[in-house]
Amino acid sequence: MILAFQVCGTLVAAALLGLFVFGLRRRLIQRSGGTFDCSLRLAGDAGSEPSGKGWGYGVARYSGDRVEWFRVFSYAPRPRRVLERSAIEVLHRREPQGQEELALLSDSVVLVCEHKGLRLELAMSDDALTGFLAWLEAAPPGQRVNVA
């Protein structure tokens, strides 16, 4: 009986420690400021019908001439994707369609981009989109920026 309580206590302590580390990681990512909620997925074919599959919920952080994207539900200390300002080409923006409305945060706007030949989609709020586009257009002189 005492062994069962010890095992349960250990499991509860491990779960609480995991939640604490999870929250601490997010706090450390957001500590430097310049963060926004942003879902990301690798885009399929240009003519394919959008679906709710493949979206990863995350936090993006401005870091100089890069945007670092971290998965929310992860313990990894490093960003999952790094998008360089000079390599981002905005193709177009659109509203979430069909199942995407359920997979994304409410009031999200989908930005279809290309980064180093890789087509991807970013979903963020209108305010975050305004900031992101302003950041793209504020590139230092001489850098090519393609914003549709």
Side-chain angles (χ1 to χ4, degrees):
M1 184 65 126
I2 293 176
L3 180 61
F5 283 128
Q6 288 177 340
V7 169
C8 288
T10 303
L11 290 176
V12 168
L16 290 175
L17 179 64
L19 288 174
F20 174 76
V21 171
F22 185 72
L24 179 64
R25 174 186 172 266
R26 181 158 177 140
R27 180 70 65 184
L28 290 174
I29 290 169
Q30 294 179 326
R31 180 178 60 176
S32 63
T35 62
F36 58 98
D37 291 331
C38 176
S39 296
L40 181 143
R41 81 168 169 183
L42 299 178
D45 300 329
S48 67
E49 187 70 26
S51 72
K53 295 182 182 178
W55 285 103
Y57 182 62
V59 174
R61 176 176 68 188
Y62 296 109
S63 178
D65 284 338
R66 309 177 318 166
V67 168
E68 300 171 333
W69 185 80
F70 298 84
R71 277 187 168 287
V72 166
F73 302 109
S74 171
Y75 290 108
R78 294 188 177 183
R80 184 70 173 252
R81 292 230 178 260
V82 176
L83 307 175
E84 297 168 9
R85 180 178 7 209
S86 61
I88 299 172
E89 181 178 353
V90 176
L91 303 176
H92 66 277
R93 74 178 88 174
R94 62 179 177 77
E95 296 297 318
Q97 300 170 359
Q99 295 295 321
E100 285 182 325
E101 293 178 10
L102 301 173
L104 299 173
L105 293 174
S106 62
D107 300 330
S108 289
V109 177
V110 177
L111 196 64
V112 180
C113 303
E114 195 167 297
H115 182 260
K116 296 183 178 180
L118 181 65
R119 193 176 176 98
L120 53 93
E121 295 174 328
L122 302 170
M124 59 190 84
S125 69
D126 276 326
D127 292 340
L129 175 65
T130 301
F132 183 76
L133 294 176
W135 174 80
L136 278 177
E137 292 174 356
Q143 280 192 356
R144 169 186 69 85
V145 176
N146 296 316
V147 177

